[in-house]
Amino acid sequence: MKFFLIVFFVSNILYGADAAKVVKLDERFAESKNCKACHMQLVKDWEESWHSNSHFDKDEYFRKSIKYYSRKTRKSLNGVKVECATCHNPRISVTSTDINYEIEAVLGLDKGSKVNKALKDDALHEGINCVVCHNIEKIHSDRDETYRGINRVTWTKSGLMSGPYDDAKSPYHSVEYRDFMGKNSNQLCFVCHANMSSVQGVMFTNMEEEFKSDGKQCVDCHMGPKRLGVASTLKIDDGKAKKRMIRKHGFKGAHDEEMIKNSLKLSAWQKGKDVVIMLKNPQPHNIPSGYGSREILIELDYTNGTETIKNEAISLTTYYKDRRGKATIAHLAKTMSKDMSIPARGKKVIKVKKAGGATSVRISVYYKLVNDEVHKLLKLKEKQWSKKMLITAKTLKLK
Ligand code: HEC
Ligand code: HEC
Ligand code: HEC
Ligand code: HEC
Ligand code: HEC
């Protein structure tokens, strides 16, 4: 086997082309520290965002998913890291690995390779940083749906920042207005937040398809409303910083208890021997959405006036099975269970049998980032992954 691999490897060096494309990023712009002098507040906002945590060293769930995926597909760990970097780390200097690299990795000959060097780059640790979003020259919406992240964009020439203003001037970098930074910014988000598919071609989330807007854009909720401030603290306007309408760069989402709170509306009533629970979703995308295996947990605590007589929990989540029919993560799914999420600007009604003798029931609705099945598969340790975040709760008197 090894002999065969070596022959294959040598012949590939001789005849195979290196698929890795190198795109160089100027050091003056590569990291957010280069922007601090003039955009301090925006950098601080962004540092608290999950975009800045999208590198595998900073996100336990992502890191362990990569390991799991590598083990199950027998693709090298670094090969998987490069594959996932398409959206999680799009400024990586190699965009794909090929069979040559896989063979090098098996033989332990990959130490000094371009791929390994690319993965060690400091700027990559910043995940989705300034020069991911603001260095997009063009979004290729005409490309096949499955081309996302790095494969859906062209980068600007080094030092050119695309932004929401058409009259900005900066001594540090050149600037240009882009529609996808202004009136059409959903397009920017859909570069990555759409069409997430497994290795088997199962599309497990598509925020673009489920999106039902009432005119609001993603940035209205995830960067907050436009408010008066300064885009840059540099004194450019008659010795003063220019006043501008700006947004926060926090991109708060499912990891944030404040965002989760009240994101669904709960109503409940008794109908004969049943308790009917209705969850309405006023948001323009499903809840949960985004990454697979998120969960909504509805807990019912029945009392008879003095003590708890019964607890019950209903889970709304999606489960994934691999080629052999075994439980797996979304990215390896061959099949998935019914989508249990509450549809965008829609509702879900659930009926349960009332506990006998109960005079009231406390209904609490929680959000969890990972359901128990995947939590166990990946052996996640950090508290955040098992934490129940309260969405809403209410008490219903029973007859
Ligand atoms: C996930 C994409 C994304 C990332 C990452 C990002 N930005 Fe932005 N940025 C935007 C969008 C979208 C707007 C336009 C918001 C609007 O006006 O609707 C914007 C606006 C701006 C503006 C204009 C002022 C404002 O707040 O509207 C500046 C300056 C800016 N970004 C700098 C930065 C810097 C510096 C970083 C890195 C710390 C960064 N951005 C990271 C998407 C991003
Ligand atoms: C020496 C100061 C300085 C530094 C350093 C700097 N910028 Fe700027 N930047 C500016 C000024 C000034 C503006 C224009 C502000 C205005 O017109 O309100 C600007 C505007 C922008 C805009 C908005 C452009 C538009 O047309 O809408 C973006 C995006 C941006 N900068 C990103 C960055 C990023 C990313 C970095 C770090 C790699 C960075 N800047 C570093 C001074 C700076
Ligand atoms: C280059 C790809 C890319 C682009 C462009 C992008 N995102 Fe993201 N976004 C990601 C990834 C990857 C994560 C997950 C990071 C993690 O959890 O480690 C993420 C996380 C988020 C989160 C946090 C979700 C949570 O679970 O807490 C929000 C909110 C978000 N993005 C909104 C946006 C919006 C709004 C835009 C458009 C202005 C946008 N993103 C553009 C890739 C992208
Ligand atoms: C009207 C406000 C609103 C708009 C507009 C909006 N969102 Fe959200 N989004 C929320 C709320 C509230 C949550 C938290 C509840 C949750 O996690 O589902 C959320 C959660 C998310 C999450 C985490 C979802 C999960 O379950 O992992 C992502 C990713 C996200 N939004 C991206 C987007 C993108 C991309 C757009 C535009 C296409 C968008 N959002 C538009 C309000 C909004
Ligand atoms: C099409 C772009 C895209 C690709 C490719 C991609 N991801 Fe993601 N990933 C995202 C986005 C966008 C989010 C944020 C969704 C959310 O938070 O709801 C995300 C979130 C995640 C999360 C949840 C992180 C958290 O903190 O909750 C995990 C785990 C994950 N991805 C694993 C992977 C793995 C493993 C790969 C490679 C096999 C991969 N992703 C490839 C776009 C992508």
Side-chain angles (χ1 to χ4, degrees), residues 50 59 61-62 65-66 69 80 83-84 86-88 148-149 191-196 255 289-291 294 331 369 385:
W50 276 82
D59 186 327
Y61 185 14
F62 179 41
S65 298
I66 290 177
Y69 184 105
V80 179
E83 187 182 327
C84 307
T86 309
C87 298
H88 284 256
R148 305 312 317 180
V191 166
C192 306
H193 289 269
N195 207 299
M196 284 160 69
H255 296 72
S289 182
Y291 195 58
R294 307 263 199 237
H331 273 287
L369 287 165
W385 312 118

Side-chain angles (χ1 to χ4, degrees), residues 239-251:
K240 277 186 280 186
K242 193 179 173 79
K243 289 256 190 287
R244 289 278 197 190
M245 295 309 280
I246 59 162
R247 290 189 202 266
K248 283 211 167 119
H249 271 60
F251 299 98

Side-chain angles (χ1 to χ4, degrees), residues 32 35-36 38-40 42-47 49 51-52 126 128-134 162-165 173 180-183 185 188-189 193 217 219-220 223-224 226-227 230-232 244-249 251:
S32 62
C35 321
K36 275 187 171 165
C38 306
H39 302 291
M40 184 58 120
L42 296 179
V43 178
K44 277 191 178 156
D45 291 348
W46 167 84
E47 279 170 349
S49 77
H51 283 146
S52 80
E126 293 205 331
I128 299 161
N129 70 355
C130 323
V131 287
V132 172
C133 292
H134 291 292
S162 48
Y165 310 125
H173 51 73
F180 57 76
M181 281 286 159
K183 56 174 182 278
S185 58
L188 170 66
C189 316
H193 289 269
Q217 302 203 69
V219 292
D220 286 317
M223 297 178 84
K226 278 201 183 195
R227 66 204 156 84
V230 293
S232 158
R244 289 278 197 190
M245 295 309 280
I246 59 162
R247 290 189 202 266
K248 283 211 167 119
H249 271 60
F251 299 98

Side-chain angles (χ1 to χ4, degrees), residues 31-81:
E31 289 177 68
S32 62
K33 64 174 187 228
N34 304 115
C35 321
K36 275 187 171 165
C38 306
H39 302 291
M40 184 58 120
Q41 191 53 48
L42 296 179
V43 178
K44 277 191 178 156
D45 291 348
W46 167 84
E47 279 170 349
E48 287 179 8
S49 77
W50 276 82
H51 283 146
S52 80
N53 279 341
S54 72
H55 185 270
F56 44 81
D57 278 350
K58 295 187 180 162
D59 186 327
E60 186 199 15
Y61 185 14
F62 179 41
R63 183 168 61 250
K64 290 195 169 159
S65 298
I66 290 177
K67 281 198 185 129
Y68 188 84
Y69 184 105
S70 159
R71 210 165 64 231
K72 296 287 171 183
T73 57
R74 305 219 173 121
K75 186 169 176 172
S76 67
L77 199 57
N78 284 347
V80 179
K81 284 176 179 172

